Amino acid sequence: MIPYGRQWIDEEDIAAVVAALRSDWLTTGPKVAEFEEAFARAVGAREAVAVNSGTAALHAAVHAAGIGPGDEVIVPALTFAATANCVVFQGAIPVFADVDPERLLLRPEEVEARRTARTRAVIAVDYAGHPADYDALRELCRRHRLSLIADGCHALGGIYKGRPVGALADLTAFSFHPVKHITTGEGGMVATDDPELARRMRVFRNHGITSDHRERERRGSWFYEMVELGWNYRITDLQCALGLSQLKKLTRFLERRREIAARYDRFFKTLEGIRPLAVSGDVAHAYHLYVVRLETSLGGRDRDRLFSALRAEGIGVNVHYLPVHLHPFYRRRFHTGEGMCPIAEEAARRILSLPIHPGMSEDEVDAVCEAVGRLGAAG
Ligand SMILES: *Cc1c(COP(=O)(O)O)cnc(C)c1O
């Protein structure tokens, strides 16, 4: 099976984790701060706060932005459920907005249309690795005094008009799950330029306690206070040692993802009926996913049949995503359903994510193209 995504782990990564295992600190130690500093530099942010998943990163960001019960937060319909779940964690209400049909990114006009007096924030998603329309979203958020949070879990290394994802919103969340650009097994990070937001997230990830174990040891004191309700969202030093080692390879990983995407692009120029999503001229795409769309739903070109036929040949295609407002939980809790975001709903019936990850060979890319051409055209 050629998986749609997969980690790349080498001997350097393994040695880094082993060294952390032999050190004094397995968690809340020096590797956490080291990883945070290196990551902040890599994404052009002043601060980065490491946590134990991308979902925890989103939750910490929403908390730091001051979102609470009764607040509304606008999120795109076509994303991973965690983008909206983090709003629900805080007792707030996710309001689903539709995406543009070409790139499947949150439409600023839709945000404007769904804004109410209770709207407090917008979460933009850099779907597939294509940076969102940050100029328009920033302007809109500034005008209405909303926080702009980016779910950058697809887009580490993405660039928008010369600025990296991580330096485009008030808070940007990243994930280090194995299918993402770099991995720590599980892990996440929030980048921000605001030291006060960073401080709040460091308290939040540690039970709402204002100091950590290492700090108290330095001070020679047992005393601490819990100032608000927090969680254990701490990441280990083992994971951060791996993250540091992975981060050194990010440029190479991105290059490889872009090479694979370019090879796919060349192939799809010659194939009728199946088209990759559009890419704006002013961005560098990070290609967490390579998403194509079936332009017709006839015969052999039907998406679900193509999906099954490719899987049967060992090609690990996937679908990203069932729109969040169509999940049973959201239907039940927020009375969402079909027709609320028609562009996302229509796209979700036609899209397919093709395998893309740094360890993929040219032969594997060509094998995917050959199979998509043969099975997609049959019918
Ligand atoms: C992966 C991902 C997340 C969640 O990350 P985890 O590390 O799996 O918790 C959130 N949003 C998007 C868009 C993602 O792709």
Side-chain angles (χ1 to χ4, degrees), residues 78-341:
L78 198 72
T79 182
F80 183 55
T83 312
N85 294 352
C86 65
V87 175
V88 184
F89 295 162
Q90 288 297 102
I93 301 156
V95 174
F96 297 99
D98 216 343
V99 295
D100 81 79
E102 306 301 323
R103 304 161 307 162
L104 308 184
L105 299 174
L106 178 62
R107 290 185 66 213
E109 302 86 340
E110 277 278 313
V111 175
E112 192 66 77
R114 302 198 187 213
R115 195 178 57 78
T116 73
R118 290 176 300 280
T119 308
R120 293 283 311 279
V122 175
I123 306 182
V125 175
D126 305 312
Y127 179 78
H130 190 309
D133 290 321
Y134 282 104
D135 278 354
L137 292 170
R138 259 205 316 271
E139 171 52 24
L140 191 154
C141 288
R142 192 195 55 75
R143 196 156 14 96
H144 301 297
R145 298 167 161 275
L146 310 175
S147 296
L148 180 58
I149 298 169
D151 180 342
C153 290
H154 290 184
L156 176 56
I159 297 170
Y160 174 86
K161 298 186 181 176
R163 291 172 66 188
V165 170
L168 295 159
D170 299 320
L171 295 141
T172 306
F174 296 94
S175 164
F176 306 131
H177 180 276
V179 298
K180 304 291 165 68
H181 291 82
I182 64 169
T183 191
T184 59
E186 298 277 1
M189 190 80 82
V190 189
T192 182
D193 278 340
D194 186 332
E196 174 56 20
L197 294 180
R199 190 196 61 78
R200 257 146 67 186
M201 292 189 287
R202 291 200 168 95
V203 171
F204 186 68
R205 75 172 166 194
N206 189 34
H207 306 281
I209 292 169
T210 47
S211 65
D212 67 30
H213 178 74
R214 213 156 136 242
E215 243 176 84
R216 288 196 292 281
E217 192 147 297
R218 253 196 324 266
R219 278 193 280 126
S221 164
W222 62 268
F223 185 79
Y224 66 82
E225 284 177 305
M226 188 192 127
V227 292
E228 62 184 353
L229 187 63
W231 304 76
N232 179 354
Y233 279 162
R234 296 188 308 253
I235 187 168
T236 65
D237 279 54
L238 318 183
Q239 290 169 299
C240 290
L242 178 55
L244 275 162
S245 175
Q246 287 265 301
L247 194 56
K248 290 185 195 147
K249 293 182 271 276
L250 175 61
T251 308
R252 260 196 290 145
F253 288 165
L254 280 162
E255 267 170 25
R256 185 63 196 134
R257 283 178 182 276
R258 286 171 182 147
E259 277 168 19
I260 294 167
R263 202 173 178 88
Y264 277 140
D265 283 347
R266 280 195 297 279
F267 170 74
F268 283 104
K269 280 208 175 75
T270 69
L271 190 74
E272 258 181 67
I274 302 179
R275 194 117 309 140
L277 298 183
V279 181
S280 305
D282 50 8
V283 306
H285 200 304
Y287 286 110
H288 163 57
L289 302 174
Y290 190 90
V291 177
V292 296
R293 176 175 14 210
L294 280 69
E295 309 222 296
T296 63
S297 279
L298 299 171
R301 288 207 170 128
D302 176 76
R303 198 274 314 275
D304 289 336
R305 282 175 54 187
L306 182 55
F307 173 91
S308 304
L310 287 166
R311 280 283 181 95
E313 293 205 3
I315 293 170
V317 286
N318 224 318
V319 174
H320 297 93
Y321 300 89
L322 176 70
V324 183
H325 67 288
L326 300 184
H327 283 294
F329 168 79
Y330 281 97
R331 289 177 188 266
R332 238 181 10 249
R333 172 83 76 94
F334 297 99
H335 308 293
T336 56
E338 276 87 6
M340 287 181 62
C341 296

Side-chain angles (χ1 to χ4, degrees), residues 5-21:
R6 183 179 157 67
Q7 72 276 14
W8 171 287
I9 297 288
D10 61 21
E11 290 304 319
E12 241 176 49
D13 294 323
I14 293 166
V17 176
V18 170
L21 271 169

